[in-house]
Amino acid sequence: MMKSSAQVVVIGGGVVGCSVLYHLTKFGWTDIMLIERSELTSGSTWHAAGGFHTLNGDTNMAALQGYTIRLYKELEEITGMSCGLHHVGGVTLATSPERVDHLKAERAKHRYMGLETEFIGPDEIARISPITNVEGVLGGLYDPLDGHLDPSGTTHAYAKAARMAGAEIVLRNPVRETLQRADGTWDVVTEQGTVHAEHVVNAGGLWAREVGAMAGVYLPLHPMEHQYLVTEETPEVYERDSELPHVMDPEGESYLRQEGRGICIGFYEQKCDPWAVDGTPWDFGHELLENKIDRIEDSVAFACKRFPVLERAGIKTVINGPFTFAPDGNPLVGPVPGLRNYWSACGVMAGFSQGGGVGLSLAEWMVEGEPSRDVLAMDVARFGEWITPGYTRAKVRENYQRRFSISYPNEELPAARPFQTTPAYDIWKQQRAVFGAGYGMEAVNYFAPEGEPLFETPSFRRSNAFDAVAAEVRAVREAVGINEIHNFGKYRVTGPGARDWIDRIMAGRVPKPGRLSLTPMLSPKGRLIGDFTISCLENARGEEEFQLTASFGAQAYHMRWFQKHLPEAGVTLENVSTRRIGFQIAGPNARELLGRTTRADVSAQGFKFMDVRDMDVGLTRAVVQRVSYTGDLGYEIYVGADDQRALYEALIQAGDGLGLKPFGMRAMMSLRLDKFFGSWLREFGPDYTPAETGMDRFVAYGKQADFIGKPAALAERDTGPSRKLCSFVVEAADADVVGYEPIYVDGEIQGFVTSGGYSHYAKKSIAIGFLPVGLIEDGLEAEIEILGDMRKAHVVSEPLFDADGARMRG
């Protein structure tokens, strides 16, 4: 008899659902149950190829994949069951200089992470994998942790370990409805009865969209058909003393491993097909899709050249089955925005590489209130309400096709663009803007000169945008630049309780009317979950109105946090990110430009640094803030979206003779380096604390409010951090740091880079990164590994521009 209540109901019995169940028991929650419509492994799990690896472009995802792989031994010891582990190692081939750069950049990240990967040459590849034709291969990245396992055995081991700890698993019991009660708990209506649960976890896999729809939420997922082949017994395989390693051949879009006495090879082909566009059938289960060999003919032909043994090996089985993907290929994990006690654990395409890490992170989140590491790369809140099935399908298809493509740090992918734009989009387009996109919104990266392509060449080295960006930087530093400021997240907070609420949710000081303040927002454990500007205005009735400004891409993440902590009355919160937009102007002529457009007093005495006020600018009523991320004299001018073009015309007409030029985000990120300004998800994020990052100077430790994270922040202030951010000038060649490069001092890895780039103003390559506090001193000599080369660097403490702040504040 199925029980009628539980603390948690996990919906879905694939490897991810079973991992979540097991990890919740590890954290002490045992009144939990998993409900599965059919049998365990009835979705994508049963037909998975079962490979696992640690490589991932996001270092935290790579660490969680490493955790997953190490977990399998623990599961075997707990349950006495075999996961069918084969730790055979794996090599990713490089057949172009760009791929070598990519793999060497990944290898550099692994050095500080403690992963023992190694870049090896063609001869070594041929030695460890004799079936590989290394003609045209320049080298490869070898990972000893690569391997494969038995998908069914592993899933059942998770399930048994959870059952041993007290969890219940109910099979052959489809969920029909999920209904939320007024107190935030859930009624999970199933074929065998209704379960009242405090929490629901959607681990529905192929059916996650449909399960989400029961709760009135759209989860951006889409299944794709995926094919792999298994050969007959092959002498080159079984006449060996050891098992063949995995071989990933990005040029051929294939992965290969040994399967018994034969070979398993799978493809991420360009002629790919989305599956179940209008929904996954509820009766789909232990069956495969129709084989579509014609779709992979070109891939198979290429594979036969890379692995000639395939021409002699008979095909025993063709597997074509669906897997779900999110638009960027990462899982969708965490509390679903807009719902209470509803959690996502889906979109886990690489379930046997990531399933353990997903289960661990979600269990930490549910039991302890936050994960132990930054999981924003897989947070379900990285997509907002703007996302649609059409957008998801286009991006999922693109992601599938690019599964083995090089990910360049400056690359902007074309699918589903443009999606969201501002009224100024056409203005920029006429001026030869080269756009990027983030969180669905187009933003100018730079402006291409006449005769140059309207496209930035993807590269690990300095791109064709280098000279254009330099000219934009020069315009800001020598005259005045104009840049759109739509890509900030902006929140309007009003009501009699607004000030007290902000005082509790933010760690910094809440400003007086007419002023700004900078503040971190902290998690209960004192981690950075936001980097905010607070602006305080006073309306005609004498009531305070606040604008909170932060990263544009963190809107759903921040709104979820705000709503979780919002009082029942006294505070009104609105996300006005795309309704309140405008421009920033910056540079020595910025004050003159603003003064030409308004009757307000914008003199140095009348409008001080960090002031904010309502004023008429041209024809429009605007909120103007005297602050600029460029580190220069500057102003942010916010208007309603309908007024943006009128504001632009007023500024352009007033700019005559002042050297006014537009600049994009590439220039902005160069300008901020002159002042060593940090950036969200580079220098600031949930892996870091205020004292480590220098954000402690904005924490109001002594304020009366019991702000979230205060005990942890006070404890850190008293003990001091073990590491801190510092800045470096790097003797770079034609490539600058991107992030996560290791920093060496006296030949030992002592830290890592968070971000950097080229300062076009100072004409120097800059890196920002962490070092142990005891090592940091001005002029300290270090080395930073960039694309496999050790580049000399030294610590600098004085900003490269306006070191005393005279221009910014004057």
Side-chain angles (χ1 to χ4, degrees), residues 389-420:
Y391 178 95
T392 297
R393 190 162 58 252
K395 295 305 282 188
V396 163
R397 191 171 193 274
E398 177 184 63
N399 184 271
Y400 184 97
Q401 292 171 322
R402 292 180 47 79
R403 182 71 184 152
F404 284 125
S405 296
I406 299 170
S407 295
Y408 294 98
N410 67 329
E411 190 167 24
E412 299 286 351
L413 302 181
R417 291 182 56 204
F419 186 50
Q420 292 195 330

Side-chain angles (χ1 to χ4, degrees), residues 529-605:
I529 58 171
D531 165 26
F532 279 83
T533 300
I534 307 173
S535 313
C536 181
L537 291 161
E538 195 169 69
N539 64 25
R541 295 186 299 276
E543 298 165 338
E544 290 182 334
E545 174 181 319
F546 295 91
Q547 177 174 295
L548 309 179
T549 308
S551 169
F552 188 78
Q555 286 173 62
Y557 173 78
H558 284 149
M559 282 295 289
R560 180 179 65 193
W561 186 256
F562 292 156
Q563 288 167 342
K564 179 180 179 181
H565 296 282
L566 208 61
E568 291 186 7
V571 179
T572 300
L573 170 72
E574 298 174 81
N575 182 352
V576 296
S577 298
T578 55
R579 304 205 308 268
R580 185 176 286 183
I581 56 180
F583 304 95
Q584 72 161 317
I585 54 174
N589 293 343
R591 179 178 288 120
E592 173 65 20
L593 174 59
L594 181 61
R596 291 181 181 184
T597 65
T598 182
R599 294 180 60 81
D601 180 3
V602 295
S603 65
Q605 295 75 33

Side-chain angles (χ1 to χ4, degrees), residues 638-659:
Y638 294 96
V639 295
D642 292 344
D643 295 334
Q644 188 189 25
R645 291 181 77 104
L647 174 62
Y648 176 81
E649 291 299 331
L651 291 169
I652 291 300
Q653 290 173 22
D656 189 39
L658 296 179

Side-chain angles (χ1 to χ4, degrees), residues 451-474:
E452 293 289 321
L454 290 167
F455 178 76
E456 183 177 6
T457 305
S459 177
F460 288 97
R461 300 171 190 273
R462 293 172 188 160
S463 77
N464 60 310
F466 190 80
D467 291 340
V469 173
E472 293 173 24
V473 167
R474 193 160 53 248

